[in-house]
Amino acid sequence: MKLLSPASANTKTRKSAEKAREYRIVSLMLAPAASANGKTVCSHSSAACEKLCVGGDGIGLAQVFKAIGQSRRDKVNWLHADRAAFMKQLESELETEQRLADRDGTTLCGRMNCFSDLNWFSLIRRFPSAVFYDYTKNLQRIVSPEKPENYWLTGSFTENKKNQQDCIELLRRGENIAIAFADLSGHFVGNRALYQRLPKTWTLDGTELQVLDGDDSDLRMLDKRAKPGKPGYIVGLRLKSGSSEQRRESIESGFCQLIE
């Protein structure tokens, strides 16, 4: 079973590869918490993100082609059944991708948690000339002294109040945090999601913060970073919903911030 997917397999990574041709982008797509038959790969997931994850069966291509969701579940099953074999295969594929990047004069760029939230520190250290990036709800991972220098982590804001307060604290310390926004001016479901507005700034707990367009590119390591002593940036993501019900649940749960 092949584990890594090329940039063309995902809408955002495909768009990123078209804009940043100096990178060879690969990603690992595992079934998210609610789609993995109880074998979670998202230890810090919230109730809403489990139900509404863009990697679930009810959104995107997985909504149409059932084999996509099954492939993601098969990978999770293999990881839990034989982690050593899984990791050997994953490292081998990364080595191949590194050779291809070296041949083409590009930089290997990996997103190991496309729909999961696992700790890949040890694996990433084996590829010092590559760059890696991910989102995480395990916020301690962002400031861990063990985090490799070539690994860019962006925190993920949820409906959980503890998570929100921790995200605000990280923003004040100069870290970037991703927040989903729902534009209430229209019915933005499926492909229409990307037509939603994003704010230029957003105020959290009394602090006005600049918002970056996180849908313009998936390559979070290219985002602006705060200067010393300044707050970080909000990485704005338009709410992606596969159905009207999903969108309603996202809004009612507090999973996203609302633009009137």
Side-chain angles (χ1 to χ4, degrees), residues 12 48-49 52-54 135 137 154-159 163-164 167 177-184 193 196-199 202 204 211-212 214-215 234-241 247 250-251 253-259:
K12 282 188 71 176
C49 75
L52 306 166
C53 180
V54 294
Y135 300 92
K137 292 180 176 66
T154 301
S156 187
F157 194 90
T158 75
E159 81 283 4
N163 163 274
Q164 292 181 3
C167 282
I177 298 293
I179 299 180
F181 288 91
D183 183 349
L184 300 181
Q196 294 177 95
R197 295 170 295 162
L198 283 178
W202 197 253
L204 291 174
V211 179
L212 308 178
D215 288 318
I234 292 175
V235 178
L237 301 171
R238 295 163 180 84
L239 177 65
K240 316 298 190 302
S241 303
R247 179 173 169 82
S250 299
I251 292 171
S253 70
F255 177 74
C256 53
Q257 300 293 293
L258 307 180
I259 304 173

Side-chain angles (χ1 to χ4, degrees), residues 184-223:
L184 300 181
S185 68
H187 185 63
F188 299 101
V189 173
N191 292 334
R192 285 186 50 78
L194 291 177
Y195 290 102
Q196 294 177 95
R197 295 170 295 162
L198 283 178
K200 298 295 184 183
T201 63
W202 197 253
T203 300
L204 291 174
D205 201 28
T207 301
E208 186 179 38
L209 300 154
Q210 185 177 342
V211 179
L212 308 178
D213 188 340
D215 288 318
D216 187 56
S217 170
D218 194 49
L219 303 181
R220 298 278 67 87
M221 72 281 187
L222 301 182
D223 288 339

Side-chain angles (χ1 to χ4, degrees), residues 139 161-171 177:
L139 301 178
K161 297 302 180 185
K162 177 64 165 59
N163 163 274
Q164 292 181 3
Q165 287 303 312
D166 289 344
C167 282
I168 290 169
E169 179 59 29
L170 283 173
L171 281 161
I177 298 293

Side-chain angles (χ1 to χ4, degrees), residues 225-231:
R225 295 281 159 171
K227 295 179 180 179
K230 298 293 185 180

